[in-house]
Amino acid sequence: MTVKTYPWWKDSTIYQIWPASFRDSNGDGFGDIPGIIKSLDHIKSLGASVVWLSPHYDSPQDDMGYDISNYEAIYEKYGTMDDMNQLIEEVHKRGLKLVCDLVINHTSSEHAWFKESKSSLDNPKRDWYIWRKPRYDDKGNRLPPTNWLSHFSGSAWNYDETTDEYYLCLFAKTQPDLNWENEETRNAIYKSALEFWFKKGVDGFRIDTAGMYSKKFAKDGKSFEDAPIVFPEQYYQPSSDFTTNGPRIHEFHKEMFEKVTSNYDVLTVGEVGHCSKEEALKYVSANEKEMNMMFLFDVVDVGSDKQDRFRYNGFTLKDFKDAVAAQSDFIKGTDAWSTVFIENHDQPRAVTRFGNTSNKQLWAKSAKLLALLQTTLTGTLYIYQGQEIGMTNLPRSWDIEEYKDINTINYWAQYKEKTPNDPEADKKLLDVINLVARDHARSPVQWDDSANGGFSTGTPWTRVNDNYKEINVKAQTGDPDSVFSFYQNAIKVRQLHKELFIHGDFEILDYENDKLFTYVKSSADQKSYVVLNFSNEDVPFKPLISGDLKLINSNVKDVNENTLTPYEGRVYLVE
């Protein structure tokens, strides 16, 4: 068998930490860096080789740290710079690598750069952000420069009385977009947000909103156009045509690579979300010299409107297969690279969304089924904290008041403003929120069955899921039948057969089947046959491939050669 060598980041299993909810070491109710250090051995024992740390920077926390007020400082509840230096050291001591979040489409309105920018029309940093004059309707009412919709509801423009202009904020009002058209701004970003941390020894970045730095101007090269009407019942409209994959986005990424990232042996993965295969290859083709890989949202967004996650219509298994193929297979025959993920800080829990949590047996079985899917797909594998123990969405019985995410809160408030007295509509939206809201990923990690799931000895910043006594790390560690042990083994199998599962070609065999997801992974020397039952029913097992099948992984102990039980999955080598 030919043994190939690859860049370290291709064969890695990457474990994402959301610091606020990971582990609290001092009882203040917030996860922190010392809590992460305490838990590194758990991450290593899973089989992960890289830790991805979500934003740890100083921040007012309007958007959980994605509103950065100082790239070169630590949010005080997470710890100190000495703690961060120790984390880098402890990660490396264990043979692991550390990747941080790079949030450079916007800063916090509390960042010193923005405070200067807003101070006057002629401040030297005025052009570091995107400012435009108001419009006025025929009655003289002041309006934002365009009808663009914020990702967190309402206008994407915020009025500033000091200078009588609006600044662009595609997310929260306190997250002004940086002006990437300004070279001085870009160089300041590279120095403060990238170089500072590379010199400290971090091993790469997950790049937030990596397709949004370049905005599309009108023909005059200065103003912006209104977005087309997609949602007729509202004034503000999705602006992705003007704010995503813009005309200079690849130029900017190439410059960042040339000036900074190419000087280090590091990983870069961009959050792009949705784009065509042709556009995706521009970002992650090795020849383009931009980023190593990217996150596409086909799988995690399946069933939702791409412009609005809470406009949810459901999906079929065929839709799910389409999404998996689009996310992982676009690199076939190219020099590009892909990612494998089904959870992150912006997504609900996979076992609730794609599995079955109606009883303990099906919960565990479907969590393991998803592990089989993830560990056999092509690309770099990402696992989100708690995924490895099958953490679930928050209980449907919880009131909307328990939800803390700015996206959920704003959406609900805007909905109630339009629909104040409709209990039936309330219930429908709450059902959707309970399925797809970002809050589900942000409930604290369940470490044991003690108070607060062992996350904190104090009052957690957000409520711990009620099921922590049944689902926790301590109960699953060392239990050969647990979801955690299954993940450990599945990652070992993935690493043992790297050419097949990490680097192999992917071909779906039963595209029209509405119960089974069956595919072949193939390399130059080997072939694997994967069959996954995503239904609540027994389904006949009839191999769709010739050759002797050798079972190398399954989520059931006693395999019936003729039948797949509900949520049963098998991975075979074809001999």
Side-chain angles (χ1 to χ4, degrees):
M1 186 182 295
T2 307
V3 178
K4 296 180 183 176
T5 56
Y6 299 97
W8 61 267
W9 38 264
K10 284 193 174 183
D11 291 344
S12 294
T13 295
I14 300 176
Y15 186 94
Q16 183 189 356
I17 289 176
W18 182 253
S21 301
F22 190 63
R23 199 166 201 170
D24 173 20
S25 71
N26 61 8
D28 68 353
F30 283 81
D32 48 40
I33 295 169
I36 296 169
I37 294 170
K38 179 181 176 182
S39 312
L40 288 174
D41 290 338
H42 165 74
I43 297 169
K44 186 172 174 67
S45 73
L46 173 65
S49 49
V50 179
V51 176
W52 157 21
L53 180 63
S54 291
H56 60 282
Y57 312 97
D58 201 10
S59 164
Q61 298 289 316
D62 289 341
D63 184 24
M64 294 302 297
Y66 283 93
D67 49 322
I68 296 171
S69 54
N70 188 345
Y71 290 108
E72 300 173 29
I74 309 297
Y75 176 49
E76 62 180 2
K77 287 188 183 297
Y78 294 163
T80 64
M81 190 61 78
D82 285 343
D83 293 327
M84 188 63 191
N85 292 335
Q86 187 185 353
L87 175 63
I88 295 169
E89 184 182 334
E90 293 291 338
V91 165
H92 290 158
K93 194 185 290 183
R94 287 166 175 79
L96 308 174
K97 293 182 183 291
L98 182 66
V99 169
C100 293
D101 238 285
L102 185 64
V103 187
I104 49 178
N105 176 70
H106 46 262
T107 67
S108 165
S109 54
E110 294 299 308
H111 197 293
W113 296 347
F114 186 72
K115 287 180 178 180
E116 283 192 55
S117 182
K118 71 174 286 191
S119 65
S120 68
L121 290 168
D122 57 0
N123 184 276
K125 287 190 172 62
R126 182 65 174 182
D127 195 38
W128 283 37
Y129 293 84
I130 300 171
W131 294 91
R132 292 293 183 274
K133 295 186 182 304
R135 292 193 296 188
Y136 293 90
D137 65 15
D138 52 9
K139 295 178 181 177
N141 297 311
R142 189 186 69 236
L143 295 172
T146 69
N147 68 345
W148 293 359
L149 175 69
S150 159
H151 289 278
F152 293 161
S153 304
S155 175
W157 296 92
N158 198 39
Y159 180 67
D160 179 59
E161 290 185 354
T162 309
T163 55
D164 187 33
E165 288 192 347
Y166 285 82
Y167 61 85
L168 183 66
C169 46
L170 291 175
F171 293 90
K173 303 294 185 193
T174 54
Q175 288 173 294
D177 281 52
L178 285 155
N179 180 18
W180 275 70
E181 298 291 323
N182 185 328
E183 185 178 12
E184 186 182 5
T185 310
R186 298 198 304 272
N187 286 332
I189 291 168
Y190 301 153
K191 182 180 178 183
S192 187
L194 285 91
E195 286 282 6
F196 179 85
W197 290 101
F198 282 144
K199 287 173 180 175
K200 280 192 169 291
V202 304
D203 301 292
F205 287 106
R206 172 264 187 189
I207 308 173
D208 186 59
T209 60
M212 296 178 70
Y213 315 145
S214 172
K215 278 67 172 178
K216 183 180 177 183
F217 294 105
K219 288 181 180 178
D220 63 11
K222 294 178 181 178
S223 61
F224 297 110
E225 297 175 15
D226 274 343
I229 307 300
V230 176
F231 302 140
E233 75 281 7
Q234 63 190 48
Y235 178 76
Y236 297 111
Q237 300 295 321
S239 65
S240 57
D241 290 350
F242 304 94
T243 58
T244 305
N245 305 317
R248 296 186 69 189
I249 192 69
H250 298 293
E251 175 191 339
F252 295 152
H253 279 293
K254 283 175 168 60
E255 180 183 83
M256 187 158 58
F257 175 86
E258 183 181 343
K259 286 187 173 182
V260 189
T261 56
S262 62
N263 298 321
Y264 304 89
D265 178 23
V266 292
L267 173 160
T268 51
V269 52
E271 179 199 33
V272 175
H274 297 282
C275 64
S276 66
K277 176 179 178 177
E278 293 72 26
E279 191 73 31
L281 292 175
K282 292 178 185 176
Y283 283 106
V284 296
S285 162
N287 193 50
E288 293 291 347
K289 294 182 169 54
E290 292 193 15
M291 302 182 294
N292 300 140
M293 60 190 103
M294 69 196 298
F295 292 126
L296 292 172
F297 292 168
D298 298 79
V299 171
V300 293
D301 279 355
V302 70
S304 280
D305 188 310
K306 291 176 185 177
Q307 308 278 18
D308 180 352
R309 74 168 63 216
F310 297 119
R311 292 174 190 252
Y312 184 78
N313 297 309
F315 63 93
T316 64
L317 185 58
K318 185 179 174 184
D319 295 331
F320 187 70
K321 293 173 188 178
D322 276 338
V324 171
Q327 184 169 305
S328 64
D329 209 30
F330 75 94
I331 64 172
K332 193 172 183 178
T334 75
D335 65 349
W337 193 240
S338 185
T339 58
V340 182
F341 75 102
I342 201 166
E343 284 191 24
N344 65 29
H345 61 288
D346 282 336
Q347 304 300 334
R349 290 297 183 174
V351 69
T352 301
R353 182 106 146 77
F354 304 111
N356 188 325
T357 58
S358 62
N359 63 56
K360 191 172 182 180
Q361 183 185 6
L362 288 179
W363 156 76
K365 202 172 175 186
S366 58
K368 294 173 184 178
L369 182 81
L370 293 169
L372 286 177
L373 172 71
Q374 294 291 283
T375 54
T376 54
L377 292 177
T378 303
T380 298
L381 176 62
Y382 288 77
I383 293 174
Y384 180 70
Q385 64 183 40
Q387 181 182 341
E388 76 277 19
I389 59 168
M391 280 180 63
T392 67
N393 275 10
L394 305 174
R396 177 62 181 84
S397 59
W398 285 13
D399 188 81
I400 188 66
E401 300 300 323
E402 297 287 358
Y403 289 78
K404 298 290 202 308
D405 177 39
I406 188 172
N407 192 20
T408 309
I409 292 168
N410 286 0
Y411 198 95
W412 178 258
Q414 184 174 299
Y415 155 78
K416 289 303 287 181
E417 198 175 301
K418 292 179 183 174
T419 319
N421 299 302
D422 192 337
E424 190 59 34
D426 287 0
K427 180 182 178 298
K428 284 182 179 177
L429 179 54
L430 283 169
D431 285 343
V432 173
I433 286 171
N434 187 246
L435 183 65
V436 300
R438 304 196 303 179
D439 305 75
H440 303 296
R442 301 178 181 193
S443 66
V445 172
Q446 297 157 207
W447 291 100
D448 57 39
D449 61 1
S450 66
N452 301 321
F455 162 71
S456 176
T457 56
T459 303
W461 72 273
T462 190
R463 186 172 165 185
V464 178
N465 198 316
D466 295 344
N467 60 18
Y468 69 85
K469 290 192 176 181
E470 292 79 45
I471 301 174
N472 62 71
V473 172
K474 185 178 179 182
Q476 294 191 25
T477 303
D479 174 4
D481 293 329
S482 71
V483 173
F484 179 67
S485 293
F486 192 84
Y487 262 99
Q488 286 178 309
N489 183 62
I491 291 169
K492 285 176 184 171
V493 172
R494 178 177 176 81
Q495 291 293 328
L496 192 63
H497 302 281
K498 289 180 185 181
E499 289 298 327
L500 265 182
F501 299 130
I502 300 178
H503 301 277
D505 285 337
F506 167 76
E507 180 188 0
I508 297 173
L509 297 184
D510 61 348
Y511 188 66
E512 301 297 333
N513 195 311
D514 62 356
K515 295 182 176 67
L516 299 184
F517 189 173
T518 308
Y519 52 92
V520 168
K521 293 299 298 291
S522 52
S523 65
D525 305 298
Q526 280 186 305
K527 189 175 285 187
S528 174
Y529 181 73
V530 183
V531 56
L532 309 170
N533 181 4
F534 273 90
S535 79
N536 291 311
E537 304 170 18
D538 286 348
V539 179
F541 175 62
K542 297 175 182 176
L544 303 176
I545 191 170
S546 57
D548 294 329
L549 300 180
K550 178 188 176 186
L551 187 69
I552 59 169
N553 204 1
S554 172
N555 63 347
V556 300
K557 283 184 178 177
D558 301 313
V559 171
N560 182 322
E561 290 301 325
N562 301 311
T563 306
L564 286 153
T565 55
Y567 296 98
E568 180 178 343
R570 304 177 192 174
V571 181
Y572 292 95
L573 286 182
V574 183
E575 297 182 336

